[in-house]
Amino acid sequence: MPSGEHATARRVVTAALRAGAAWIHRNEEERAWRELSRMHGVILACLPIGAGPATPSEMIDCLPQPLRDWAPLDWSLLPEDMGDLIVLENDNELTEQAFDAGMSYLEALYQDDGRFELGGMWLPAWVRQTAEQTERTTFRQIRSGSQADYEAARAMLTEVPCGTEQALIEEYSRRRAPRMDVYEAIPKDRIFQGKDASWWWPCPQCTYPMVLRGGQLRCEYPSHQGRFGLLQDNANKGKPPSVTGVSARSKTAAVRAEGVLCVNWAVWRYITCPGLVEVALMLWLERQPGVRVERWENMDEWDIGVYLENGWSGRVDVKDHKAPQTIIDRPPTGEIVVVPNYRSSQVNALQAGLDPLRTPDGRQYAVFTVNRFKAAVTKRLKGEPA
């Protein structure tokens, strides 16, 4: 499949999501109507002449229908969940599918001058902020120092997504990390307001505040499976509600929200969560005798530089995307591509898509899951072919 087809589909999904977000804010935000018209134009520019909804009003009528029913793309060549996407339900609500798609398929939109088209800060971050935009704005803050400063900052963004102001200051000092303008008050949709206090609940995997919606707690990162319910039993007793659905493998506990800050949504989505897999792999490699690890080498030219005493070396890029084509469209610099174990079904498609390509310095790509890459390193340390 040509990479351009997948990129076009991502632009259609992005415009549909932004149109849906604008529609539900139309009563309190007058700029929403302008956004609807602009996103209608983006969609028409992606489709054959004469195809698609003729007016913004017709586009709005289409949003409660699967995308494949009104956007004529070759859906047989695209991920099934893209074509199944329904943006709106009950006229004024975004579907869970919409949030998941926003996590996976957002494409950067640009103005005529080549700058990012953000659609106004009134749009929610999940529908206007892409990985590329987040990395540019955040990394600009931390690339001005040394490699050590950069590593400390990246590790802090991954390992410390939340904390009180005093706790964050202590972490900055302990890690010798540069100050970063990315921490803010916990969003209201992640806080339970009790009689005398407010509370939030960390995701068991990333420790970021989970969303509270309809008496349910959930982490918005697709691969984080923690789902919990809240009982209002303690609501009038000055205590946090009880949590249901807790197990030995997945549990959470209420934390007082007063004075707590967390990284902004975009940093959490595009830096913190992917960084969890990167840091876990780095720590494993650092524990292996005979392995030297360079974290985010050359200011993140690739995620991990791996150097063995026997002379073998590899440049690793860790990728966590819902669709392999997203990685193929933007090939990494490192020749070793590692995906989380829960993305094992992507390995063959990703390897096939990268086989015709080369890194900027001409190397062939090799694709592994985390476990398979660990096994390959273990073999090399024993002097065996991987």
Side-chain angles (χ1 to χ4, degrees), residues 16 19 119 232 374:
Q232 300 291 329
K374 289 180 179 179

Side-chain angles (χ1 to χ4, degrees), residues 352-363:
L354 291 173
D355 274 343
L357 308 176
R358 296 292 182 270
T359 64
D361 60 350
R363 302 191 193 188

Side-chain angles (χ1 to χ4, degrees), residues 7 73 116:
L73 298 171
F116 287 124

Side-chain angles (χ1 to χ4, degrees), residues 39-357:
M39 292 306 103
H40 175 247
V42 171
I43 289 174
L44 292 189
C46 294
L47 302 178
I49 295 175
T55 65
S57 179
E58 286 186 20
M59 175 189 66
I60 294 165
D61 291 339
C62 291
L63 295 180
Q65 305 170 37
L67 206 61
R68 69 174 75 252
D69 289 353
W70 57 273
L73 298 171
D74 192 346
W75 295 106
S76 66
L77 299 177
L78 294 163
E80 186 174 349
D81 62 328
M82 262 189 173
D84 292 341
L85 174 63
I86 295 173
V87 176
L88 288 179
E89 60 185 357
N90 304 326
D91 189 49
N92 284 310
E93 295 181 16
L94 289 160
T95 64
E96 288 295 331
Q97 283 178 291
F99 289 104
D100 287 344
M103 290 283 191
S104 306
Y105 295 122
L106 279 188
E107 182 80 359
L109 301 180
Y110 297 90
Q111 299 174 341
D112 292 339
D113 60 5
R115 293 180 178 273
F116 287 124
E117 197 295 289
L118 296 176
M121 296 304 290
W122 60 272
L123 278 171
W126 68 268
V127 82
R128 62 176 166 79
Q129 194 83 3
T130 68
E132 184 180 3
Q133 294 162 323
T134 302
E135 288 169 357
R136 283 196 190 182
T137 55
T138 303
F139 291 173
R140 190 180 300 121
Q141 299 180 43
I142 60 178
R143 278 192 172 131
S144 59
S146 66
Q147 175 70 25
D149 292 338
Y150 183 86
E151 292 174 24
R154 285 296 302 273
M156 182 165 172
L157 292 177
T158 299
E159 298 170 344
V160 191
C162 306
T164 63
E165 183 174 1
Q166 182 59 39
L168 293 175
I169 290 173
E170 291 173 1
E171 284 290 339
Y172 279 126
S173 177
R174 183 178 71 83
R175 295 167 178 267
R176 297 182 179 179
R179 300 295 176 92
M180 296 169 283
D181 186 23
V182 296
Y183 289 92
E184 58 187 30
I186 299 176
K188 293 181 179 179
D189 64 350
R190 299 166 191 269
I191 291 178
F192 175 86
Q193 184 61 56
K195 182 180 179 181
D196 301 310
S198 55
W199 310 86
W200 64 278
W201 288 262
C203 166
Q205 287 162 278
C206 65
T207 71
Y208 196 68
M210 290 187 285
V211 167
L212 173 58
R213 189 176 294 123
Q216 300 290 318
L217 285 169
R218 64 187 295 265
C219 181
E220 287 182 311
Y221 199 71
S223 63
H224 295 180
Q225 298 301 314
R227 302 288 186 272
F228 306 93
L230 289 186
L231 300 177
Q232 300 291 329
D233 52 346
N234 295 321
N236 296 317
K237 301 177 183 178
K239 299 179 180 179
S242 300
V243 179
T244 63
V246 173
S247 67
R249 296 183 62 182
S250 183
K251 53 188 175 181
T252 187
V255 181
R256 291 285 291 264
E258 287 79 11
V260 176
L261 305 175
C262 63
V263 294
N264 66 55
W265 183 94
V267 168
W268 164 77
R269 169 60 182 89
Y270 297 117
I271 298 177
T272 301
C273 289
L276 294 171
V277 181
E278 297 171 9
V279 170
L281 181 55
M282 291 169 181
L283 292 171
W284 181 87
L285 289 165
E286 288 167 349
R287 291 194 296 269
Q288 309 310 304
V291 179
R292 178 170 64 86
V293 174
E294 296 293 339
R295 294 184 171 204
W296 298 292
E297 196 167 24
N298 297 341
M299 296 287 190
D300 205 23
E301 188 174 357
W302 46 84
D303 294 329
I304 313 173
V306 183
Y307 301 88
L308 307 191
E309 289 181 350
N310 61 18
W312 181 87
S313 65
R315 304 170 304 180
V316 177
D317 270 310
V318 181
K319 296 295 182 183
D320 185 4
H321 292 270
K322 193 169 188 177
Q325 190 64 42
T326 304
I327 303 170
I328 297 166
D329 286 349
R330 298 181 176 91
T333 303
E335 72 277 5
I336 299 173
V337 180
V338 175
V339 299
N341 294 323
Y342 53 79
R343 302 284 191 201
S344 60
S345 61
Q346 295 183 352
V347 170
N348 290 340
L350 187 51
Q351 186 68 70
L354 291 173
D355 274 343
L357 308 176

